[in-house]
Amino acid sequence: MSDTTDIVSAVGSVISAVAACVAAVGVWYARHQLKTSRELAQLSFEDALAKEYRELAGQLSKKALMGEVLADTEYEDAFDELYRYVDLTNEQISLRARGRITPEVWRSWSEGMKSNLELPAFVRAWTEIKARSSGFAELRRLEQESFSTDPKEWRWPLNVRSTDTQEH
């Protein structure tokens, strides 16, 4: 009987080892699937914001996007979309500060933000918005730091010069 007991014990040990390996593979697979799902959700989230930007860019004055100076009436007509651009930009910066935007996407977006905010119509709108609003702390700070910092590394509360936040 001891041979039978030894065989049953050995078979039980082998079954336990195989079961442990199957469980480990299952855990690895589940972890891999979870990671893949999170990456897909991240891509989808960032794509939705990029789509929002593209839709807004489609509504923005082509002259403004090409760096041409807008006449006063053209600027007044474009101001709502320019304001929406500033608001979207501020939201994107805030999302990066909270870790919701990946570093690769952030680098691309921040370069685009800097380029757009150097165009005459955007400069004019952003200057007006800063003068009339105390909001947009994230964009104010990024501009103050010459677009050279990563909002993910910022410490809160934001340190924005009080001269930039006039209240009217």
Side-chain angles (χ1 to χ4, degrees):
M1 278 250 252
S2 99
D3 285 341
T4 304
T5 304
D6 289 344
I7 291 171
V8 170
S9 178
V11 169
S13 293
V14 168
I15 291 172
S16 291
V18 169
C21 288
V22 168
V25 168
V27 168
W28 175 85
Y29 182 74
R31 182 173 179 257
H32 178 73
Q33 287 298 103
L34 180 60
K35 182 180 181 231
T36 300
S37 294
R38 285 179 41 193
E39 289 171 352
L40 289 173
Q42 181 68 36
L43 284 171
S44 178
F45 177 70
E46 291 171 346
D47 285 348
L49 285 167
K51 181 180 179 197
E52 185 177 345
Y53 167 75
R54 286 189 305 274
E55 289 172 356
L56 177 57
Q59 296 171 359
L60 283 165
S61 162
K62 302 309 172 245
K63 286 177 70 174
L65 289 169
M66 293 173 33
E68 297 177 29
V69 176
L70 301 181
D72 288 344
T73 56
E74 292 172 316
Y75 171 76
E76 290 171 18
D77 290 342
F79 184 79
D80 286 349
E81 285 76 22
L82 292 166
Y83 183 93
R84 284 184 47 220
Y85 174 79
V86 168
D87 187 51
L88 176 61
T89 298
N90 194 71
E91 179 64 17
Q92 290 171 322
I93 298 165
S94 176
L95 289 167
R96 175 61 188 152
R98 291 182 274 147
R100 298 283 316 277
I101 304 299
T102 60
E104 299 79 20
V105 169
W106 170 248
R107 280 190 291 277
S108 173
W109 285 3
S110 66
E111 290 171 10
M113 291 171 189
K114 184 177 187 305
S115 294
N116 282 342
L117 289 171
E118 291 173 345
L119 299 173
F122 290 82
V123 169
R124 184 175 175 186
W126 178 224
T127 300
E128 182 177 340
I129 292 165
K130 285 189 291 188
R132 294 174 57 189
S133 167
S134 62
F136 306 103
E138 292 85 352
L139 180 53
R140 289 174 192 267
R141 177 165 178 186
L142 191 62
E143 179 187 47
Q144 181 181 338
E145 296 178 6
S146 302
F147 291 82
S148 63
T149 61
D150 184 344
K152 179 98 170 67
E153 306 302 319
W154 292 349
R155 300 292 170 247
W156 299 86
L158 295 177
N159 295 323
V160 178
R161 284 181 269 156
S162 60
T163 57
D164 286 346
T165 57
Q166 300 172 355
E167 292 186 39
H168 294 279

